[in-house]
Amino acid sequence: NFSRVTEFILLGLSDTRELQVLFFTFFFLAYAMVLLGNLLIIVTVRTDPKLSSPMYFLLCNLSFIDICCTSVTSPRMLVDLLSQRKAIAFEDCIAQLFFLHFVGASEMFLLTVMAYDRYTAICKPLHYTAIMSRQVCWVLVSACWAGGFLHSIVQTLLTIQLPFCGPNTIDNYFCDVPPVIRLACTDIYITEWLMVSNSGLISLVCFLVLVTSYTFILVTIRVHITEGHWKALSTCASHVMVVTLFFVPCIFIYLHPFSTFPSDKHICVICTVFSPVMNPLIYTLRNHEVKASMWKLWKRCRV
């Protein structure tokens, strides 16, 4: 009765063959859009000297994180949609859980840094260059990755110390903390609240910091409006869209006891698929400088 589980069975989004084919087509196109769109943003920012401001440096890092985030779950999901038996080894499941929380938490911290960047650009424009220097940007990005690693290692250690000896069916299309720890053969009350205080509070605190920064920005814009402020505010509007798509589902998933809701897999689609797809669209379609740089890059490639 206490033998260790060696693999988990992923139920996926549906067990209907027709829906699986439809999901495969949709998610394959979505994954291709994430890869191509974010790679295009990275290449554009890296090749155009005009896009050397801290905002575009952070945007380039966000695109890289989005590629990593969706690559943790999408390839495995696409393979499982065409497979009869959707099994994942215990070690692979833990690795997927680790990397998902690693890049996910890093993205939360990076979005918070991007909000601070917009706050500095609008509320303290004369000191912006000194505050958001390239060295400071590198330190902030490194801190985001370090914070994501610390968060993920805590989640992973809390998970692997649990005994898994009974059911091995996960009602999701990837391995995440809530559905995995429900399968533990022990009382998970304390572990559950430790994880909620970790993931849930990180999501909530980052979101509150973002809301606070945008509140200060709106107050500044209301007092005195210039052409530069309108440009920065337009950038903030796209940032708010990304934040809403990413943070609201994460807060809903991780800020309540995991046993409260049986499955959050349909909400997880927003975090792992829709948010990475929308990022390149939002940041390119609403940004004239990025679109102009992409057009110049396209013309150079044609020549």
Side-chain angles (χ1 to χ4, degrees):
N1 291 335
F2 293 92
S3 59
R4 190 177 185 85
V5 170
T6 59
E7 67 177 12
F8 293 108
I9 305 298
L10 301 172
L11 296 183
L13 295 173
S14 174
D15 56 358
T16 305
R17 188 60 184 172
E18 291 75 13
L19 283 178
Q20 289 180 350
V21 174
L22 180 62
F23 286 151
F24 176 85
T25 304
F26 173 78
F27 289 124
F28 177 80
L29 293 176
Y31 185 51
M33 289 178 61
V34 171
L35 294 180
L36 295 177
N38 285 291
L39 283 175
L40 180 59
I41 290 177
I42 293 173
V43 172
T44 302
V45 172
R46 297 288 295 176
T47 56
D48 194 339
K50 293 182 179 180
L51 302 180
S52 59
S53 66
M55 180 182 73
Y56 295 113
F57 173 77
L58 297 175
L59 175 60
C60 187
N61 281 274
L62 178 64
S63 296
F64 176 73
I65 288 182
D66 275 336
I67 292 175
C68 295
C69 187
T70 192
S71 296
V72 173
T73 58
S74 292
R76 178 83 200 192
M77 176 178 60
L78 293 173
V79 172
D80 286 343
L81 285 171
L82 299 180
S83 304
Q84 293 293 332
R85 189 171 184 270
K86 304 171 178 60
I88 181 171
F90 180 85
E91 293 78 9
D92 295 340
C93 182
I94 297 300
Q96 188 181 56
L97 184 151
F98 170 79
F99 285 108
L100 178 68
H101 281 264
F102 180 24
V103 294
S106 300
E107 181 165 357
M108 287 185 184
F109 296 136
L110 183 61
L111 288 171
T112 307
V113 170
M114 293 177 71
Y116 174 72
D117 171 74
R118 291 299 83 205
Y119 163 78
T120 307
I122 296 175
C123 300
K124 300 180 179 180
L126 299 179
H127 303 282
Y128 177 69
T129 305
I131 295 176
M132 295 298 295
S133 63
R134 182 50 64 98
Q135 292 78 12
V136 172
C137 289
W138 275 110
V139 170
L140 291 174
V141 170
S142 300
C144 291
W145 284 104
F149 176 81
L150 291 175
H151 159 76
S152 183
I153 201 69
V154 170
Q155 297 291 90
T156 305
L157 291 176
L158 288 173
T159 302
I160 61 176
Q161 55 87 28
L162 295 172
F164 296 94
C165 55
N168 65 338
T169 302
I170 297 177
D171 189 13
N172 210 326
Y173 57 93
F174 65 96
C175 289
D176 196 9
V177 169
V180 170
I181 69 169
R182 292 193 194 108
L183 303 179
C185 305
T186 185
D187 183 11
I188 61 171
Y189 180 80
I190 296 178
T191 303
E192 189 176 26
W193 278 105
L194 287 174
M195 290 182 168
V196 168
S197 62
N198 188 352
S199 297
L201 286 182
I202 286 177
S203 305
L204 182 61
V205 170
C206 288
F207 183 72
L208 292 177
V209 171
L210 289 163
V211 171
T212 302
S213 66
Y214 290 130
T215 302
F216 279 113
I217 289 173
L218 291 176
V219 171
T220 302
I221 292 293
R222 184 178 59 86
V223 175
H224 51 278
I225 299 177
T226 64
E227 183 179 352
H229 283 118
W230 276 116
K231 181 180 178 181
L233 186 62
S234 177
T235 305
C236 288
S238 60
H239 195 182
V240 169
M241 296 180 191
V242 174
V243 166
T244 302
L245 281 173
F246 187 73
F247 275 94
V248 173
C250 289
I251 292 174
F252 178 81
I253 293 172
Y254 297 110
L255 199 57
H256 62 74
F258 301 146
S259 57
T260 305
F261 297 96
S263 175
D264 299 311
K265 59 184 179 181
H266 296 97
I267 300 176
C268 291
V269 173
I270 301 176
C271 302
T272 59
V273 178
F274 283 106
S275 181
V277 168
M278 293 303 297
N279 281 0
L281 295 177
I282 290 173
Y283 279 108
T284 55
L285 295 179
R286 294 183 57 85
N287 193 304
H288 298 292
E289 291 180 347
V290 175
K291 287 192 292 185
S293 297
M294 287 182 176
W295 179 244
K296 289 192 296 183
L297 179 64
W298 168 252
K299 289 193 293 186
R300 287 203 304 267
C301 293
R302 291 185 63 183
V303 174

